[in-house]
Amino acid sequence: MATYVLIPGAGGDSWYWHRVVPLLRERGHEVVAVDLPAGDHSAGLADYTEAILAAIGGRTGLVLVAQSMGGLSAPLVCARIPVELLILLNAMIPKPGESGGEWWVNTGQAEAAAELAAREGRPGDFDPAANFFHDVPPEVTAEAFARGGPDQSGTPFEKPWPLDRWPDVPTRFLQGRDDRLFPVEFQRRNARERLGLEIDEMPGGHLVALSRPAELVERLESYRAAAGLH
């Protein structure tokens, strides 16, 4: 069976995937949920890449799933080792030479999120509970907040993204249509302009691995099967 490598977003906490991991293992797959050095202010994207590679070890048949900020580091892994399939989930899509910090301005993320908030009649200021956990079950939200907000250093956002092109790996893009941080229209435009890809949509917000793990696993498995992976 496949080896799913699950790369978290900002905060770098493998706990984000804790509702998805057992569902994939029940289907017979090997699953690696990665912890990243998000709280280490000396760690940049190169260090994140090395952490993912170390977690993978010698495993093969790799399906990488990259959540949000994980979109910056997952392609760097694909440039280093054979990867069968890359699945971007509510992810950032970097451009060669663009830093993670520049991405926010270059893509117009703040304007897109503000426009969505205005359409939905929500305040425009950032609120983690409202922006991230609006569709997450209360008990999962309570556990997340009890764990404390994950640290995320700004270091990985400072340097230009180092690849000169997107790696030659089959890539799919799955977007939660209720994402308040990266609105679906915003992501549709980014995927077309930056990768020439059409996105797929599913119900759910930015944290679909916490809010809709079973449906997410069905989507991941459909991509794996379509790619001819066993």
Side-chain angles (χ1 to χ4, degrees), residues 12-172:
D13 191 350
S14 63
W15 178 85
Y16 170 69
W17 301 104
H18 78 281
R19 304 189 74 197
V20 168
V21 170
L23 300 179
L24 288 171
R25 287 180 175 157
E26 285 173 6
R27 294 172 181 245
H29 301 299
E30 188 164 9
V31 185
V32 179
V34 181
D35 283 303
L36 297 173
D40 182 351
H41 294 290
S42 69
L45 283 181
D47 303 284
Y48 284 47
T49 304
E50 292 300 330
I52 298 167
L53 291 169
I56 292 171
R59 296 175 177 87
T60 58
L62 304 177
V63 177
L64 267 60
V65 185
Q67 157 75 17
S68 193
M69 179 188 170
L72 301 180
S73 53
L76 305 183
V77 174
C78 296
R80 296 274 299 276
I81 60 173
V83 171
E84 303 295 333
L85 179 63
L86 171 59
I87 303 171
L88 300 171
L89 177 62
N90 294 344
M92 300 172 70
I93 304 173
K95 289 175 66 174
E98 174 187 72
S99 71
E102 292 169 336
W103 178 92
W104 301 89
V105 175
N106 291 350
T107 59
Q109 182 276 335
E111 293 82 357
E115 289 170 7
L116 178 62
R119 288 201 307 269
E120 295 181 345
R122 293 183 286 107
D125 53 323
F126 180 76
D127 175 356
N131 286 73
F132 290 147
F133 290 91
H134 57 97
D135 65 330
V136 176
E139 66 277 12
V140 180
T141 299
E143 183 178 355
F145 278 83
R147 291 171 61 84
D151 256 348
Q152 179 56 62
S153 166
T155 304
F157 295 96
E158 292 174 355
K159 292 184 178 179
W161 196 64
L163 298 184
D164 57 8
R165 62 181 179 85
W166 196 259
D168 185 18
V169 59
T171 303
R172 301 294 296 265

